[in-house]
Amino acid sequence: MGRMLGAFDNPEELDRPDLNKCPDCECFFAGNNCPLCGKECPEEMRAGNRKPPKKEKRRRSTSNGRVTFVEWYHSWWCIIIAMFFMPILGIILLATSPHKKSQKVTFIIIGAIYLVVSTIGIGTIIGAIGNIFDPPVDTSLSREEYVSRCENTAPETFYRSPDAYEDEFVSMTLTVKKIIVDSDGFYANEKYTTYYICSDGKFDIMIRNCIQSGDKNLAVGDTVRVWGEGAGNVTVYDMYYDPHTLPCINVAYVEIANTQQ
């Protein structure tokens, strides 16, 4: 009986081309019959007739060969959930995880962007971008053209129907009662963040300082003639984050009483 060699070895790692091979048991032997199952060796599996086994291409290892066990809180699913609900925690978990440096950098950048957006608010960011590329008032007109388009509007009429005057050119005379700096716009570095609550003695109207030339530092008690465009009802949060909601005018030009601009 032939000598049995490597019956349980990986055939890709061990081959004896000088011996016969059993197609079922995959063991090598020198006789005609398999020493394990007794099956006669077919001609195509005999020494000299058998084709050499195909060697599979081994993939190059991307690690040092060590097996790394990742704790559940460092797993990707946990980090992604943390990034979505608590970005700071997600960034900390990712930074302390054993993941690749390139993956850490990519996800930390994404997490930082999400943190900024979620903190400031997408609306504030869009508003700030809008103020850069789309000023609240029409800047294509000269002062004379702008003023000529503005219709003299009663404060009561504007107060009662602010939506009807949205984007319409209006003009009226008011007295400044209070000065407000919009906190959202201030922290978002918007250009036009100063608002004035004004009145005709009965109706309060808010004007936004979008003055295009000859900017004035308006003071409480000033009586002003304004030319601007209706903005509908607007809510402004002051530096104490108290809300102020009133019909608003984006003012492009202004005159203080008895003072020429």
Side-chain angles (χ1 to χ4, degrees):
M1 183 178 290
R3 183 163 56 96
M4 182 174 62
L5 297 173
F8 301 103
D9 285 337
N10 188 337
E12 297 177 0
E13 297 178 355
L14 174 65
D15 187 31
R16 289 294 303 272
D18 58 323
L19 297 175
N20 299 333
K21 183 178 180 180
C22 178
D24 296 332
C25 303
E26 296 188 349
C27 70
F28 300 92
F29 51 92
N32 292 324
N33 297 330
C34 175
L36 293 181
C37 65
K39 182 177 180 179
E40 184 179 359
C41 183
E43 288 297 324
E44 65 272 12
M45 299 299 288
R46 290 183 178 275
N49 297 336
R50 188 173 68 257
K51 295 181 180 180
K54 294 182 179 179
K55 293 183 179 181
E56 292 186 358
K57 294 182 179 179
R58 294 186 179 182
R59 296 179 181 178
R60 292 184 178 180
S61 176
T62 56
S63 65
N64 57 10
R66 296 179 181 177
V67 177
T68 303
F69 293 94
V70 180
E71 298 289 350
W72 65 268
Y73 50 81
H74 281 153
S75 59
W76 281 114
W77 65 267
C78 181
I79 291 173
I80 292 173
I81 292 175
M83 283 282 194
F84 185 77
F85 291 102
M86 293 177 288
I88 295 178
L89 176 61
I91 291 174
I92 293 173
L93 290 177
L94 183 59
T96 57
S97 71
H99 297 300
K100 295 179 181 179
K101 185 177 180 180
S102 59
Q103 295 174 332
K104 288 184 181 182
V105 172
T106 300
F107 274 84
I108 286 175
I109 292 174
I110 294 173
I113 293 173
Y114 178 75
L115 177 62
V116 171
V117 171
S118 61
T119 301
I120 297 178
I122 188 66
T124 302
I125 294 175
I126 293 175
I129 295 173
N131 277 334
I132 296 173
F133 298 104
D134 186 20
V137 294
D138 191 337
T139 58
S140 65
L141 303 174
S142 66
R143 184 185 188 284
E144 291 71 20
E145 291 172 329
Y146 195 99
V147 169
S148 66
R149 287 197 180 190
C150 294
E151 294 185 5
N152 190 26
T153 306
E156 179 181 359
T157 304
F158 185 86
Y159 178 86
R160 296 191 185 280
S161 304
D163 292 339
Y165 287 94
E166 191 166 355
D167 297 326
E168 297 293 327
F169 291 83
V170 296
S171 175
M172 63 185 71
T173 300
L174 301 164
T175 301
V176 179
K177 291 176 57 178
K178 185 175 183 178
I179 304 171
I180 298 173
V181 175
D182 177 28
S183 61
D184 286 343
F186 177 82
Y187 291 114
N189 293 319
E190 290 184 11
K191 185 176 180 181
Y192 308 108
T193 58
T194 302
Y195 291 76
Y196 300 91
I197 295 180
C198 303
S199 175
D200 68 339
K202 185 176 181 180
F203 296 95
D204 287 346
I205 293 173
M206 189 156 53
I207 65 174
R208 184 182 186 186
N209 184 355
C210 305
I211 297 173
Q212 297 300 296
S213 66
D215 194 8
K216 308 287 186 181
N217 289 324
L218 303 183
V220 174
D222 283 346
T223 299
V224 295
R225 180 74 175 177
V226 298
W227 293 268
E229 298 161 50
N233 272 315
V234 171
T235 299
V236 176
Y237 292 87
D238 60 25
M239 301 308 286
Y240 299 99
Y241 220 71
D242 292 328
H244 303 268
T245 303
L246 284 170
C248 183
I249 303 172
N250 290 325
V251 173
Y253 299 97
V254 63
E255 279 186 5
I256 302 175
N258 301 324
T259 302
Q260 295 296 321
Q261 186 174 354

